[in-house]
Amino acid sequence: MDDLRRTPLHDLHASLGAKMVPFAGWDMPVQYPMGVLNEHLHTRAAAGLFDVSHMGQVILRGEGAAKALETLVPADIEGLARGRQRYGLFTNESGGILDDLMIANKGDHLFLVVNAACADQDIEHLRKLEAMGISVEAVTDRALLALQGPGAEAALDALVPGAAAMRFMDVADLEWNGIVLWVSRSGYTGEDGFEISLPADRAEDFARALLARDGVAPIGLGARDSLRLEAGLPLYGHDMSAEVTPAQAGLGWSIQKIRRTGGAREGGFPGAEVILPELGAATRARRGLRPDGRAPIREGVALFDAAEGGTEIGTVTSGGFGPSLGGPMAMAIIPADIPDDATVYAELRGRRVPVTVVPTPFVKPTYKR
Amino acid sequence: MLKYTEDHEWLRAEGDEIVVGITRHASEQLGDVVFVELPDEGREVEEGEEIVVIESVKAASDIVAPVSGTVTAVNAALADAPGGVNDDPMAAWFFRIKPADGVSLDGFMDEAAYNELIG
């Protein structure tokens, strides 16, 4: 355990009674005494505070940083207004996904948040932009918190006036007790909420101030996973990978029209010749699944097109129990021509279990647009 | 008197049957239980056979038959309300089994030995 990295909130987690697990090289809280199920429900009913300091924070500076980043990411970044954030992907030459990320236009720089497991690789990848005069700075002295749920706005605004005025995907620098918070109105739970980057040495003070507000409880990675799955949000390394294209992952929407075939800044990113023709024409796509009955089907479970025999059509990429949904749910990449409401079969403990193909999200998001 | 297995089951002898559940330690390790699949009543099982599936929010696990014998009853209420395993694991029995070789719990751990096992 000694080689696991610790976030600035490690002591806080211990004092809150968290159960810690290794995650992407970090020692992270998987749950607190409340338990995964109640932490999930609490987040949807009130507000949950998540430590996401393991995620990579990166600053890009230099003339033309947006244009330069478009050589690695197929999103419209030049068109991203100051004070706004957008979801994007790093792609590879064969059209697969290297990671997903958030990109914020902070005026004189771009601020990126990438997955913990991919952070080192992403930063190496971004260093290709240095040849274009762009500086790539890994931010290692700041924590990252997520405050999610219907009570998030009131809790944050009480500490940091101005938070409530932000709308979904806005970013702003807000002050709290002499420090600058880099706030975005976003998250990965399907709830309204915020992500807050702040100096590591003040992170515990700030987290404790939030936890002192009515309705704010600490939430671990276990509930984070069931929340994002209910919201139909794909997770890197599970629902997408270097072998899965944006269209297959259901992430074609993250490639704006201007970067698509016929757009003013068409292509110009790794794998464009594979990725662009496949948009709207993918033969396989990420879909939602609702198993009949209560038994969850988890990652790796094989799916078939018949109750006996038949053909294997894919495997579950994420699956579990949805506490708000009140039943099991899963996602898988399966043939795109299988219609919604069709029945497919999951091979579970040697038996074929009927599973209904459904649209995602499983639970409707409540973003403040 | 309750006895315990290395698979974190509790066992209680009642007449010619053994009642089987899982310990509080096991339920805490599992996390919130969301699904329980019970064996059919009347099923003949071998010692060590996986006869119950428990799914928590985290993962799937099994309960094995502590002895060879016949499953005489199952706690069907658990299938509808699996959270009972977390709420009161000592009350949330899974099944009753009639051992093929008669009821004897001599080979199983007592509470002190079990507590030592889980540290």
Side-chain angles (χ1 to χ4, degrees), chain A residues 8-17 49 145 159 176 198 202-214 216-218:
Chain A
L9 294 183
H10 196 271
D11 291 349
L12 177 65
H13 300 317
S15 75
L16 293 170
L49 181 66
L145 307 182
L159 296 184
W176 178 78
L198 76 168
R202 298 297 300 283
E204 182 169 339
D205 290 346
F206 182 72
R208 286 191 184 278
L210 280 174
L211 290 170
R213 305 297 310 176
D214 268 356
V216 181

Side-chain angles (χ1 to χ4, degrees), chain B residues 95-110:
Chain B
F95 57 89
R96 303 172 76 97
I97 187 167
K98 185 173 179 180
D101 299 329
V103 173
S104 167
L105 296 183
D106 292 346
F108 297 100
M109 285 177 279
D110 61 14

Side-chain angles (χ1 to χ4, degrees), chain A residues 19 30-31 34-38 293-298 320-321 323 348-349 351, chain B residues 28-35 37 53 55-60 62 79-80 82:
Chain A
K19 184 171 179 179
V30 66
Q31 66 170 80
M34 189 188 283
V36 175
L37 200 69
N38 287 323
R294 288 185 65 97
I297 58 170
R298 298 182 191 272
F321 180 83
L348 194 62
R349 295 182 274 272
R351 286 206 304 263
Chain B
E28 285 170 358
Q29 293 298 312
L30 283 171
D32 301 302
V33 174
V34 296
F35 171 76
E37 186 177 275
V53 176
E55 294 259 6
S56 76
V57 287
K58 293 176 202 157
D62 305 291
D80 296 325

Side-chain angles (χ1 to χ4, degrees), chain A residues 252-331:
Chain A
W253 61 268
S254 75
I255 306 173
Q256 284 76 23
K257 199 173 166 192
I258 200 165
R259 305 293 314 275
R260 296 188 179 204
T261 305
R265 295 198 312 283
E266 168 184 339
F269 54 85
E273 63 291 349
V274 177
I275 291 168
L276 293 181
E278 200 190 19
L279 294 174
T283 56
R284 298 175 65 75
R286 178 171 57 88
R287 307 288 288 281
L289 303 173
R290 288 294 317 266
D292 291 8
R294 288 185 65 97
I297 58 170
R298 298 182 191 272
E299 184 172 357
V301 166
L303 298 164
F304 293 84
D305 59 2
E308 283 177 50
T311 306
E312 186 170 333
I313 56 171
T315 54
V316 171
T317 54
S318 282
F321 180 83
S324 303
L325 189 66
M329 62 185 166
M331 298 197 289

Side-chain angles (χ1 to χ4, degrees), chain B residues 23-99:
Chain B
T23 64
R24 180 165 298 282
H25 172 77
S27 82
E28 285 170 358
Q29 293 298 312
L30 283 171
D32 301 302
V33 174
V34 296
F35 171 76
V36 172
E37 186 177 275
L38 297 162
D40 291 333
E41 290 177 1
R43 179 167 152 191
E44 306 262 337
V45 298
E46 296 291 323
E47 179 185 333
E49 192 177 337
E50 295 164 352
I51 59 171
V52 174
V53 176
I54 304 182
E55 294 259 6
S56 76
V57 287
K58 293 176 202 157
S61 47
D62 305 291
I63 299 181
V64 300
V67 295
S68 299
T70 306
V71 175
T72 53
V74 298
N75 184 0
L78 281 185
D80 296 325
V85 178
N86 300 106
D87 297 339
D88 192 353
M90 303 311 286
W93 62 281
F94 283 83
F95 57 89
R96 303 172 76 97
I97 187 167
K98 185 173 179 180

Side-chain angles (χ1 to χ4, degrees), chain A residues 16-28:
Chain A
L16 293 170
K19 184 171 179 179
M20 307 298 286
V21 295
F23 181 85
W26 294 77
D27 193 30
M28 297 300 291

